[in-house]
Amino acid sequence: MSILTESLAGKISKIGMVEKEVKDNSIPIDGRSYLKGPNSPPLVNMTIPEQLERTVSRFGHREALVFHDKGIRLSYYEFDCEVKKLAAGLLALGLAKGDRVGIWSPNRLEWVLTQFATSCVGLILVNINPAYRLSELEYVLNKVGCKALISAKAFKTSDYVGMLRKLAPELESCRPGQLRSSKLPNLQSIVVMDDIQEPGMLSFPDLMQLGGADQEIRLKAINKTLCPDEAINIQFTSGTTGLPKGATLSHNNIVNNARFVVDRIRLQEVDRLAIPVPLYHCFGMVMGVLGAVSCGAAMIFPSESFNVSNTLDALADERCTAVYGVPTMFLAMLEELENSPRDVSCLRTGIMAGAPCPIEIMKRVNNELNLNEITICYGMTETSPVSFQSFVDDPIDKRCETVGRVHPHLEVKIIDHQGEVVRVGVQGELCTSGYSVMKGYWEDQEKTDESIINGWMHSGDLAIIDDEGFCNIVGRVKDMIIRGGENVYPREIEEYLIRHPKVNDVQVFGIPDEKLGESVCAWIIIKPGMDLDESELKEYCDDNVAYFKIPSHFKFVEEFPMTVTGKPQKFLMREKMLEILEKS
């Protein structure tokens, strides 16, 4: 046995001993649905730039980033150099520590560079969903007061530059970096990816060259002032009672969570992780990018958004050992492999999250994709995100029927409607406490206080914990819909549809969907004397609501089923809608 092999064998043996201790300790206490995560691995108190610096010093020569469809490859040394150039450019643009910078783009190199460059300056990165339309974009930019926006020119059917010009027509006559918009009063600079010149906007390549020696000196000084507990990222997540809320996360939140996620899948510097999931989600940005950087693994991006053929090509061509995805992605890969086989024999591990996985699909993922060590995760943006995850050697039924066991350094409990911890096996609301809980919702203390009570983040999810510490998500306290891995909140859609001049009232709910998990359904009461049809409502949504939020089914009704106290009974609407669809 070679020295290298002995060293690797020693690592694996040590990992096995630690995992056994973790599993033995992560069991309910006194028969109650309360769990305390293990103390190993230890928490680290570091910023994102410190994490990158540590990885570059250890693995600088190794490949860091591959954008397969673009032919882009960067080592960790090269990646670090590009990050510093961009950080200097952001300083030269007039941005200062604490300013908010939006990123509106699919998975591109510029996204990852911006993620790390903003953290070097102490800027707060604001993730904007690539599917957002005009009203959503305007809302999030103003809610957090973005001073700058880095945007793709376009993506799929979305003309980003065109939408920005509608919101800020002042761009036609202003100089780059000097925007003064009536609708976007805080926004001063818009940077467009690609080497293109747009009136009033700066190109990304120009931004990369904007900094100089003065900014490099300032950057070193700023780095010394950064604190791991400072806010560094805002991710928008909707609620059931209003508009999207900006979950505010710190370096400590996401640096540590990323480390623990990849530790459970045993990711190491020799691994090559495919990331077809979106960067604007914690799945891509934290679990993917920060997780890979924490251990020096290579990040492989198949394409700007999920494309099954591109993903399989990347898995084969780049000899990936790990891959992330939601169940619908893995199902698409299995179907594509039947029609067009590829060599994916290097695959070993990964993460499936976002929705439950049927056991037959998991068996196929194990056998046909070679992912015998794939794990299941559960969490929420507000907990950075992961709080439960299976181990690579958990039984297949546990990896399908549960979301695994509690993460290190976290406490979780299941409570009843009175706030009391329930017994093992009893359903209740899942709550999480520990390092991963967000700092709060940006400038929304009321909503923060509703969600975080005495340090416990209330998930709104109904769960059951068994006597081995495995957690099963069985429903939702909040009326949330999960459509193809995307969280859809009925109240947000209802508040938009109710503004239509012909809509008198609306109720939105989810119904089962074989492909997507759930689809969005809307029941509409039309104003008296008005005519309205489905096509008019869909057209109304197209320019202002992300595609995954637009209802797949509309039903026009005279009234809603109500309780005696006047509350709509969505479960009756759901049952009736299923009956109608079955007959059609």
Side-chain angles (χ1 to χ4, degrees), residues 341-396:
R342 275 89 153 179
D343 180 5
V344 294
S345 58
C346 289
L347 285 174
R348 169 182 64 83
T349 189
I351 292 172
M352 188 185 299
C357 177
I359 194 164
E360 291 305 316
I361 298 300
M362 178 63 83
K363 288 178 179 177
R364 291 186 64 193
V365 166
N366 290 169
N367 297 329
E368 297 171 39
L369 286 171
N370 213 45
L371 290 165
N372 293 307
E373 297 183 3
I374 195 166
T375 70
I376 301 295
C377 285
Y378 163 83
M380 56 193 303
T381 304
E382 291 90 337
T383 55
S384 306
V386 176
S387 50
F388 280 89
Q389 186 176 358
S390 53
F391 288 83
V392 296
D393 57 354
D394 280 337
I396 192 169

Short mmCIF file of all heavy atoms in Angstrom, two decimals, residues 341-396:
data_model
loop_
_atom_site.label_atom_id
_atom_site.label_comp_id
_atom_site.label_asym_id
_atom_site.label_seq_id
_atom_site.Cartn_x
_atom_site.Cartn_y
_atom_site.Cartn_z
N PRO A 341 -26.76 6.81 -23.63
CA PRO A 341 -25.86 6.42 -22.54
C PRO A 341 -24.57 7.24 -22.51
O PRO A 341 -24.05 7.64 -23.54
CB PRO A 341 -25.55 4.95 -22.84
CG PRO A 341 -26.66 4.49 -23.72
CD PRO A 341 -27.05 5.68 -24.54
N ARG A 342 -24.11 7.55 -21.30
CA ARG A 342 -22.81 8.18 -21.06
C ARG A 342 -22.09 7.40 -19.98
O ARG A 342 -22.71 6.68 -19.19
CB ARG A 342 -22.95 9.63 -20.56
CG ARG A 342 -23.11 10.69 -21.64
CD ARG A 342 -24.52 10.89 -21.98
NE ARG A 342 -24.81 12.23 -22.50
CZ ARG A 342 -26.00 12.62 -22.89
NH1 ARG A 342 -27.02 11.77 -22.85
NH2 ARG A 342 -26.21 13.84 -23.34
N ASP A 343 -20.79 7.61 -19.91
CA ASP A 343 -19.99 6.97 -18.87
C ASP A 343 -20.01 7.84 -17.62
O ASP A 343 -19.32 8.87 -17.56
CB ASP A 343 -18.55 6.76 -19.36
CG ASP A 343 -17.68 6.10 -18.30
OD1 ASP A 343 -18.21 5.71 -17.23
OD2 ASP A 343 -16.46 5.97 -18.54
N VAL A 344 -20.80 7.47 -16.63
CA VAL A 344 -20.87 8.22 -15.37
C VAL A 344 -20.34 7.36 -14.23
O VAL A 344 -20.73 7.53 -13.07
CB VAL A 344 -22.31 8.69 -15.08
CG1 VAL A 344 -22.75 9.72 -16.11
CG2 VAL A 344 -23.28 7.51 -15.05
N SER A 345 -19.43 6.48 -14.56
CA SER A 345 -18.93 5.52 -13.57
C SER A 345 -18.10 6.16 -12.47
O SER A 345 -17.86 5.54 -11.43
CB SER A 345 -18.09 4.43 -14.27
OG SER A 345 -17.01 5.02 -14.99
N CYS A 346 -17.65 7.40 -12.68
CA CYS A 346 -16.85 8.08 -11.65
C CYS A 346 -17.72 8.62 -10.51
O CYS A 346 -17.19 8.99 -9.45
CB CYS A 346 -16.03 9.22 -12.27
SG CYS A 346 -14.67 8.66 -13.30
N LEU A 347 -19.01 8.73 -10.75
CA LEU A 347 -19.89 9.27 -9.71
C LEU A 347 -19.88 8.39 -8.47
O LEU A 347 -19.83 7.16 -8.56
CB LEU A 347 -21.32 9.40 -10.23
CG LEU A 347 -21.60 10.56 -11.19
CD1 LEU A 347 -23.02 10.47 -11.72
CD2 LEU A 347 -21.37 11.91 -10.52
N ARG A 348 -19.94 9.06 -7.33
CA ARG A 348 -19.92 8.35 -6.05
C ARG A 348 -20.97 8.88 -5.08
O ARG A 348 -21.67 8.15 -4.42
CB ARG A 348 -18.52 8.49 -5.43
CG ARG A 348 -18.40 8.02 -3.99
CD ARG A 348 -16.99 8.25 -3.46
NE ARG A 348 -16.62 9.65 -3.41
CZ ARG A 348 -16.93 10.48 -2.42
NH1 ARG A 348 -17.65 10.07 -1.41
NH2 ARG A 348 -16.54 11.76 -2.45
N THR A 349 -21.05 10.22 -4.98
CA THR A 349 -21.85 10.82 -3.93
C THR A 349 -22.57 12.06 -4.45
O THR A 349 -22.45 12.42 -5.62
CB THR A 349 -20.97 11.17 -2.72
OG1 THR A 349 -21.80 11.56 -1.62
CG2 THR A 349 -19.99 12.29 -3.04
N GLY A 350 -23.30 12.72 -3.56
CA GLY A 350 -24.01 13.93 -3.95
C GLY A 350 -25.13 14.22 -2.97
O GLY A 350 -25.20 13.64 -1.88
N ILE A 351 -26.00 15.11 -3.37
CA ILE A 351 -27.13 15.50 -2.52
C ILE A 351 -28.39 15.62 -3.36
O ILE A 351 -28.37 16.20 -4.45
CB ILE A 351 -26.86 16.85 -1.81
CG1 ILE A 351 -25.73 16.70 -0.78
CG2 ILE A 351 -28.12 17.38 -1.14
CD1 ILE A 351 -25.27 18.00 -0.18
N MET A 352 -29.47 15.06 -2.84
CA MET A 352 -30.78 15.24 -3.43
C MET A 352 -31.62 15.98 -2.39
O MET A 352 -31.70 15.57 -1.24
CB MET A 352 -31.42 13.89 -3.77
CG MET A 352 -32.72 14.01 -4.55
SD MET A 352 -33.54 12.40 -4.80
CE MET A 352 -32.30 11.50 -5.73
N ALA A 353 -32.19 17.09 -2.77
CA ALA A 353 -32.96 17.91 -1.82
C ALA A 353 -34.08 18.61 -2.56
O ALA A 353 -34.16 18.57 -3.79
CB ALA A 353 -32.05 18.91 -1.12
N GLY A 354 -34.94 19.29 -1.80
CA GLY A 354 -35.99 20.09 -2.41
C GLY A 354 -37.36 19.44 -2.43
O GLY A 354 -38.37 20.14 -2.49
N ALA A 355 -37.40 18.10 -2.39
CA ALA A 355 -38.67 17.38 -2.41
C ALA A 355 -38.39 15.92 -2.05
O ALA A 355 -37.25 15.46 -2.20
CB ALA A 355 -39.32 17.48 -3.80
N PRO A 356 -39.40 15.18 -1.58
CA PRO A 356 -39.19 13.76 -1.26
C PRO A 356 -38.83 12.96 -2.49
O PRO A 356 -39.25 13.29 -3.61
CB PRO A 356 -40.55 13.33 -0.69
CG PRO A 356 -41.24 14.59 -0.31
CD PRO A 356 -40.76 15.64 -1.27
N CYS A 357 -38.05 11.89 -2.28
CA CYS A 357 -37.66 11.02 -3.40
C CYS A 357 -38.31 9.64 -3.24
O CYS A 357 -38.09 8.97 -2.22
CB CYS A 357 -36.14 10.87 -3.44
SG CYS A 357 -35.57 9.75 -4.74
N PRO A 358 -39.10 9.20 -4.22
CA PRO A 358 -39.66 7.85 -4.16
C PRO A 358 -38.55 6.81 -4.09
O PRO A 358 -37.50 6.96 -4.74
CB PRO A 358 -40.45 7.74 -5.48
CG PRO A 358 -40.72 9.16 -5.88
CD PRO A 358 -39.53 9.94 -5.41
N ILE A 359 -38.76 5.74 -3.36
CA ILE A 359 -37.71 4.77 -3.12
C ILE A 359 -37.25 4.09 -4.42
O ILE A 359 -36.07 3.78 -4.59
CB ILE A 359 -38.14 3.71 -2.07
CG1 ILE A 359 -36.93 2.91 -1.60
CG2 ILE A 359 -39.26 2.82 -2.61
CD1 ILE A 359 -37.18 2.13 -0.32
N GLU A 360 -38.16 3.89 -5.38
CA GLU A 360 -37.77 3.26 -6.64
C GLU A 360 -36.83 4.16 -7.44
O GLU A 360 -35.91 3.68 -8.11
CB GLU A 360 -39.01 2.91 -7.47
CG GLU A 360 -39.84 1.78 -6.89
CD GLU A 360 -39.02 0.51 -6.65
OE1 GLU A 360 -38.23 0.15 -7.56
OE2 GLU A 360 -39.15 -0.09 -5.58
N ILE A 361 -37.07 5.46 -7.37
CA ILE A 361 -36.16 6.40 -8.05
C ILE A 361 -34.80 6.39 -7.38
O ILE A 361 -33.76 6.40 -8.04
CB ILE A 361 -36.75 7.83 -8.04
CG1 ILE A 361 -38.08 7.89 -8.79
CG2 ILE A 361 -35.76 8.83 -8.66
CD1 ILE A 361 -38.00 7.49 -10.24
N MET A 362 -34.77 6.35 -6.03
CA MET A 362 -33.51 6.30 -5.32
C MET A 362 -32.70 5.05 -5.69
O MET A 362 -31.48 5.12 -5.88
CB MET A 362 -33.74 6.36 -3.82
CG MET A 362 -32.46 6.28 -2.99
SD MET A 362 -31.33 7.67 -3.27
CE MET A 362 -32.03 8.89 -2.18
N LYS A 363 -33.38 3.92 -5.82
CA LYS A 363 -32.70 2.69 -6.22
C LYS A 363 -32.06 2.85 -7.60
O LYS A 363 -30.93 2.41 -7.83
CB LYS A 363 -33.67 1.50 -6.22
CG LYS A 363 -34.07 1.04 -4.82
CD LYS A 363 -35.08 -0.10 -4.91
CE LYS A 363 -35.46 -0.57 -3.52
NZ LYS A 363 -36.51 -1.65 -3.57
N ARG A 364 -32.78 3.48 -8.51
CA ARG A 364 -32.23 3.69 -9.85
C ARG A 364 -31.07 4.68 -9.83
O ARG A 364 -30.08 4.50 -10.56
CB ARG A 364 -33.34 4.21 -10.78
CG ARG A 364 -34.41 3.19 -11.12
CD ARG A 364 -35.36 3.75 -12.17
NE ARG A 364 -34.67 4.01 -13.42
CZ ARG A 364 -35.17 4.72 -14.43
NH1 ARG A 364 -36.39 5.26 -14.30
NH2 ARG A 364 -34.49 4.91 -15.53
N VAL A 365 -31.18 5.70 -8.99
CA VAL A 365 -30.07 6.66 -8.85
C VAL A 365 -28.83 5.95 -8.33
O VAL A 365 -27.71 6.18 -8.81
CB VAL A 365 -30.48 7.81 -7.91
CG1 VAL A 365 -29.28 8.63 -7.48
CG2 VAL A 365 -31.50 8.71 -8.58
N ASN A 366 -29.01 5.06 -7.37
CA ASN A 366 -27.89 4.28 -6.84
C ASN A 366 -27.26 3.41 -7.92
O ASN A 366 -26.03 3.37 -8.07
CB ASN A 366 -28.35 3.39 -5.69
CG ASN A 366 -28.71 4.16 -4.43
OD1 ASN A 366 -29.29 3.61 -3.52
ND2 ASN A 366 -28.40 5.44 -4.36
N ASN A 367 -28.10 2.71 -8.66
CA ASN A 367 -27.60 1.70 -9.60
C ASN A 367 -27.18 2.28 -10.95
O ASN A 367 -26.11 1.94 -11.47
CB ASN A 367 -28.68 0.63 -9.82
CG ASN A 367 -29.00 -0.13 -8.55
OD1 ASN A 367 -28.13 -0.31 -7.69
ND2 ASN A 367 -30.24 -0.57 -8.41
N GLU A 368 -28.02 3.13 -11.53
CA GLU A 368 -27.76 3.60 -12.89
C GLU A 368 -26.86 4.83 -12.95
O GLU A 368 -26.19 5.06 -13.96
CB GLU A 368 -29.09 3.89 -13.60
CG GLU A 368 -29.96 2.64 -13.75
CD GLU A 368 -31.37 2.96 -14.25
OE1 GLU A 368 -31.50 3.85 -15.11
OE2 GLU A 368 -32.34 2.33 -13.75
N LEU A 369 -26.85 5.62 -11.89
CA LEU A 369 -25.96 6.78 -11.84
C LEU A 369 -24.77 6.54 -10.93
O LEU A 369 -23.92 7.42 -10.76
CB LEU A 369 -26.73 8.02 -11.35
CG LEU A 369 -27.69 8.65 -12.35
CD1 LEU A 369 -28.54 9.72 -11.68
CD2 LEU A 369 -26.94 9.27 -13.53
N ASN A 370 -24.71 5.35 -10.35
CA ASN A 370 -23.56 4.97 -9.52
C ASN A 370 -23.46 5.77 -8.23
O ASN A 370 -22.41 5.83 -7.60
CB ASN A 370 -22.25 5.13 -10.32
CG ASN A 370 -21.21 4.10 -9.93
OD1 ASN A 370 -21.53 2.92 -9.78
ND2 ASN A 370 -19.99 4.54 -9.73
N LEU A 371 -24.56 6.41 -7.83
CA LEU A 371 -24.53 7.30 -6.66
C LEU A 371 -24.95 6.53 -5.40
O LEU A 371 -25.99 6.79 -4.79
CB LEU A 371 -25.44 8.50 -6.89
CG LEU A 371 -24.94 9.49 -7.95
CD1 LEU A 371 -26.05 10.44 -8.37
CD2 LEU A 371 -23.74 10.27 -7.42
N ASN A 372 -24.10 5.59 -4.98
CA ASN A 372 -24.42 4.77 -3.82
C ASN A 372 -24.32 5.54 -2.51
O ASN A 372 -24.83 5.08 -1.49
CB ASN A 372 -23.48 3.56 -3.77
CG ASN A 372 -23.74 2.60 -4.92
OD1 ASN A 372 -24.87 2.18 -5.13
ND2 ASN A 372 -22.70 2.28 -5.67
N GLU A 373 -23.65 6.69 -2.53
CA GLU A 373 -23.45 7.46 -1.30
C GLU A 373 -24.23 8.78 -1.31
O GLU A 373 -23.92 9.69 -0.54
CB GLU A 373 -21.96 7.73 -1.07
CG GLU A 373 -21.15 6.46 -0.86
CD GLU A 373 -19.68 6.73 -0.55
OE1 GLU A 373 -19.32 7.92 -0.45
OE2 GLU A 373 -18.92 5.77 -0.42
N ILE A 374 -25.22 8.89 -2.16
CA ILE A 374 -25.98 10.14 -2.23
C ILE A 374 -26.77 10.33 -0.94
O ILE A 374 -27.26 9.37 -0.34
CB ILE A 374 -26.92 10.17 -3.45
CG1 ILE A 374 -27.43 11.59 -3.72
CG2 ILE A 374 -28.07 9.18 -3.29
CD1 ILE A 374 -28.07 11.77 -5.07
N THR A 375 -26.87 11.57 -0.49
CA THR A 375 -27.58 11.88 0.76
C THR A 375 -28.78 12.79 0.50
O THR A 375 -28.87 13.42 -0.54
CB THR A 375 -26.65 12.55 1.79
OG1 THR A 375 -26.33 13.87 1.34
CG2 THR A 375 -25.37 11.76 1.99
N ILE A 376 -29.65 12.85 1.50
CA ILE A 376 -30.83 13.71 1.46
C ILE A 376 -30.65 14.83 2.47
O ILE A 376 -30.13 14.61 3.57
CB ILE A 376 -32.11 12.90 1.81
CG1 ILE A 376 -32.31 11.75 0.83
CG2 ILE A 376 -33.34 13.81 1.84
CD1 ILE A 376 -32.58 12.17 -0.60
N CYS A 377 -31.06 16.04 2.11
CA CYS A 377 -30.94 17.19 3.01
C CYS A 377 -32.30 17.84 3.24
O CYS A 377 -33.19 17.77 2.40
CB CYS A 377 -30.02 18.26 2.41
SG CYS A 377 -28.27 17.87 2.49
N TYR A 378 -32.41 18.50 4.39
CA TYR A 378 -33.57 19.33 4.67
C TYR A 378 -33.10 20.61 5.36
O TYR A 378 -32.19 20.60 6.18
CB TYR A 378 -34.58 18.64 5.58
CG TYR A 378 -35.56 19.62 6.21
CD1 TYR A 378 -36.68 20.05 5.50
CD2 TYR A 378 -35.31 20.18 7.46
CE1 TYR A 378 -37.55 20.99 6.03
CE2 TYR A 378 -36.18 21.12 8.00
CZ TYR A 378 -37.30 21.53 7.29
OH TYR A 378 -38.13 22.47 7.80
N GLY A 379 -33.74 21.70 5.02
CA GLY A 379 -33.46 22.96 5.70
C GLY A 379 -34.32 24.06 5.12
O GLY A 379 -35.29 23.82 4.42
N MET A 380 -33.93 25.28 5.42
CA MET A 380 -34.63 26.44 4.90
C MET A 380 -33.62 27.58 4.81
O MET A 380 -32.59 27.57 5.49
CB MET A 380 -35.81 26.81 5.78
CG MET A 380 -35.47 27.07 7.23
SD MET A 380 -36.90 27.14 8.35
CE MET A 380 -37.88 28.45 7.62
N THR A 381 -33.90 28.53 3.93
CA THR A 381 -32.98 29.65 3.74
C THR A 381 -32.63 30.29 5.07
O THR A 381 -31.47 30.66 5.31
CB THR A 381 -33.61 30.70 2.81
OG1 THR A 381 -34.00 30.08 1.58
CG2 THR A 381 -32.64 31.82 2.53
N GLU A 382 -33.61 30.41 5.95
CA GLU A 382 -33.41 31.07 7.23
C GLU A 382 -32.47 30.32 8.17
O GLU A 382 -32.05 30.86 9.20
CB GLU A 382 -34.76 31.28 7.93
CG GLU A 382 -35.65 32.29 7.23
CD GLU A 382 -36.57 31.72 6.17
OE1 GLU A 382 -36.24 30.62 5.64
OE2 GLU A 382 -37.60 32.33 5.87
N THR A 383 -32.13 29.06 7.84
CA THR A 383 -31.16 28.31 8.64
C THR A 383 -29.94 27.92 7.81
O THR A 383 -29.30 26.91 8.07
CB THR A 383 -31.80 27.05 9.27
OG1 THR A 383 -32.39 26.25 8.25
CG2 THR A 383 -32.84 27.43 10.30
N SER A 384 -29.66 28.68 6.80
CA SER A 384 -28.36 28.76 6.11
C SER A 384 -27.86 27.66 5.18
O SER A 384 -26.71 27.69 4.81
CB SER A 384 -27.26 28.97 7.15
OG SER A 384 -27.56 30.09 7.95
N PRO A 385 -28.50 26.64 4.69
CA PRO A 385 -29.89 26.26 4.90
C PRO A 385 -30.08 24.96 5.68
O PRO A 385 -31.13 24.70 6.21
CB PRO A 385 -30.39 26.05 3.48
CG PRO A 385 -29.21 25.46 2.79
CD PRO A 385 -27.98 26.07 3.44
N VAL A 386 -29.06 24.06 5.73
CA VAL A 386 -29.32 22.66 6.11
C VAL A 386 -29.31 22.46 7.63
O VAL A 386 -28.40 22.92 8.32
CB VAL A 386 -28.28 21.72 5.46
CG1 VAL A 386 -28.48 20.28 5.92
CG2 VAL A 386 -28.40 21.79 3.94
N SER A 387 -30.33 21.74 8.12
CA SER A 387 -30.36 21.36 9.53
C SER A 387 -30.45 19.84 9.72
O SER A 387 -30.09 19.34 10.78
CB SER A 387 -31.52 22.05 10.25
OG SER A 387 -32.73 21.87 9.55
N PHE A 388 -30.91 19.12 8.70
CA PHE A 388 -30.93 17.66 8.73
C PHE A 388 -30.29 17.12 7.45
O PHE A 388 -30.48 17.69 6.37
CB PHE A 388 -32.36 17.11 8.82
CG PHE A 388 -32.95 17.15 10.21
CD1 PHE A 388 -33.64 18.27 10.64
CD2 PHE A 388 -32.82 16.07 11.05
CE1 PHE A 388 -34.20 18.31 11.91
CE2 PHE A 388 -33.37 16.09 12.33
CZ PHE A 388 -34.06 17.22 12.76
N GLN A 389 -29.56 16.01 7.58
CA GLN A 389 -28.95 15.38 6.41
C GLN A 389 -28.67 13.92 6.74
O GLN A 389 -28.27 13.58 7.86
CB GLN A 389 -27.64 16.08 6.03
CG GLN A 389 -27.01 15.59 4.73
CD GLN A 389 -25.77 16.40 4.36
OE1 GLN A 389 -25.40 17.34 5.04
NE2 GLN A 389 -25.12 16.03 3.27
N SER A 390 -28.89 13.06 5.76
CA SER A 390 -28.57 11.65 5.96
C SER A 390 -27.06 11.44 5.82
O SER A 390 -26.33 12.31 5.35
CB SER A 390 -29.34 10.78 4.96
OG SER A 390 -29.13 11.22 3.64
N PHE A 391 -26.61 10.27 6.25
CA PHE A 391 -25.23 9.86 6.08
C PHE A 391 -25.13 8.98 4.83
O PHE A 391 -26.13 8.41 4.38
CB PHE A 391 -24.74 9.09 7.30
CG PHE A 391 -24.53 9.94 8.52
CD1 PHE A 391 -25.59 10.27 9.35
CD2 PHE A 391 -23.27 10.43 8.85
CE1 PHE A 391 -25.41 11.06 10.47
CE2 PHE A 391 -23.07 11.22 9.96
CZ PHE A 391 -24.14 11.54 10.79
N VAL A 392 -23.93 8.86 4.30
CA VAL A 392 -23.75 8.14 3.03
C VAL A 392 -24.09 6.65 3.15
O VAL A 392 -24.41 6.00 2.15
CB VAL A 392 -22.32 8.30 2.48
CG1 VAL A 392 -22.03 9.75 2.14
CG2 VAL A 392 -21.28 7.77 3.47
N ASP A 393 -24.02 6.11 4.37
CA ASP A 393 -24.29 4.68 4.54
C ASP A 393 -25.61 4.39 5.24
O ASP A 393 -25.86 3.27 5.67
CB ASP A 393 -23.14 4.01 5.30
CG ASP A 393 -22.88 4.65 6.66
OD1 ASP A 393 -23.53 5.68 6.96
OD2 ASP A 393 -22.03 4.13 7.41
N ASP A 394 -26.49 5.41 5.34
CA ASP A 394 -27.82 5.16 5.90
C ASP A 394 -28.59 4.22 4.98
O ASP A 394 -28.42 4.26 3.74
CB ASP A 394 -28.59 6.47 6.07
CG ASP A 394 -28.20 7.22 7.33
OD1 ASP A 394 -27.69 6.58 8.27
OD2 ASP A 394 -28.38 8.45 7.37
N PRO A 395 -29.48 3.39 5.53
CA PRO A 395 -30.28 2.49 4.69
C PRO A 395 -31.09 3.27 3.67
O PRO A 395 -31.50 4.41 3.91
CB PRO A 395 -31.21 1.80 5.70
CG PRO A 395 -30.51 1.92 7.02
CD PRO A 395 -29.77 3.22 6.97
N ILE A 396 -31.34 2.66 2.53
CA ILE A 396 -32.01 3.36 1.43
C ILE A 396 -33.41 3.82 1.83
O ILE A 396 -33.86 4.89 1.41
CB ILE A 396 -32.05 2.47 0.16
CG1 ILE A 396 -32.49 3.31 -1.04
CG2 ILE A 396 -32.95 1.27 0.36
CD1 ILE A 396 -32.30 2.59 -2.37
#
